[in-house]
Amino acid sequence: EAIHIAGGPHVTLAYEEFLRVNREFDAAFIGESERSIVEFSGRLEAKSPYDGINGVAYIGREGKLHLSPSKPEENLESLAFPRFEPFYNVDPSKEPYHLLTSRGCPHLCVFCCVHAISGRKWRFRSPENIVAELKQAVMRYGIKEFEVDDDNFTLNIDRAKEFCRQLGRMKLGLGWFCPNGIRADRLDSELAL
């Protein structure tokens, strides 16, 4: 009797197909879902219908697709830092900590679908907010390294440099890398060092 939900890039791009092929799922979360999942959980607990929740799709009993369009979060700093305590099988100290400092992309590269997932408007967090999250992750979880999962970490080169300066001043001793890469046209020699 458990409720099964899905989300992420694949589901965001092909939610109807996903729900029709995978009938065991009750709902799909489209796009950014930090607030939607909380509202969804509250409605389930109250035994209320979950139609109309931002970014939620489901197939009704009549076989019709129901969808409330996703609205990207404008103020990323209003979101709480990730908490891993509820997940008994996750130990953030044993793998790189996943850090997201921005969302969205103004570019339309032929090989990328980020604009279809997070929108074309680039939204970002301040260096102070990012470093505060890392400091908390070191204190709470004992992380040793992190990866910046942004698709556009260096879109604003000055912001990226200021993050690096603040991270250096904090002396957290963290290794880090950008697995999604960095655009060559958004890098200069100072930032590369």
Side-chain angles (χ1 to χ4, degrees):
E1 295 181 23
I3 298 294
H4 295 90
I5 60 175
H10 172 78
V11 172
T12 295
L13 295 172
Y15 53 87
E16 183 169 10
E17 177 186 11
F18 177 85
L19 288 169
R20 294 204 184 279
V21 170
N22 301 284
R23 297 308 298 245
E24 65 274 15
F25 283 88
D26 299 285
F29 286 77
I30 315 305
E32 301 170 19
S33 304
E34 289 92 342
R35 298 192 193 284
S36 300
I37 196 139
V38 172
E39 184 177 351
F40 183 87
S41 299
R43 291 208 198 168
L44 284 179
E45 193 171 45
K47 297 185 179 6
S48 300
Y50 45 84
D51 52 325
I53 299 174
N54 177 35
V56 173
Y58 67 94
I59 306 288
R61 289 197 174 112
E62 72 289 353
K64 178 183 169 194
L65 175 73
H66 297 263
L67 169 67
S68 294
S70 176
K71 296 175 192 150
E73 180 64 49
E74 288 295 323
N75 181 4
L76 299 182
E77 293 190 10
S78 69
L79 299 173
F81 298 153
R83 303 249 349 227
F84 294 97
E85 292 85 354
F87 303 100
Y88 64 88
N89 61 347
V90 174
D91 183 354
S93 70
K94 296 207 182 327
E95 61 181 66
Y97 182 82
H98 293 273
L99 181 70
L100 202 58
T101 78
S102 67
R103 296 179 183 174
C105 182
H107 303 289
L108 289 170
C109 302
V110 296
F111 56 83
C112 184
C113 63
V114 167
H115 64 277
I117 296 170
S118 299
R120 293 200 56 208
K121 180 180 179 184
W122 186 67
R123 297 157 288 128
F124 59 93
R125 297 166 55 196
S126 68
E128 296 80 11
N129 181 262
I130 302 163
V131 170
E133 178 182 343
L134 289 171
K135 185 177 178 184
Q136 177 181 295
V138 167
M139 292 170 43
R140 182 174 279 162
Y141 306 117
I143 68 166
K144 305 284 188 273
E145 63 180 347
F146 66 95
E147 61 181 57
V148 177
D149 290 332
D150 296 27
D151 292 289
N152 280 305
F153 175 60
T154 61
L155 189 66
N156 180 321
I157 295 174
D158 292 333
R159 172 186 164 268
K161 288 178 185 178
E162 182 56 27
F163 164 74
C164 292
R165 287 185 201 103
Q166 289 193 27
L167 184 64
R169 285 194 291 269
M170 292 298 294
K171 299 187 186 318
L172 296 174
L174 298 172
W176 65 288
F177 55 101
C178 298
N180 288 346
I182 294 174
R183 287 180 61 100
D185 64 348
R186 303 310 307 153
L187 184 66
D188 64 16
S189 57
E190 182 186 11
L191 186 55
L193 293 176

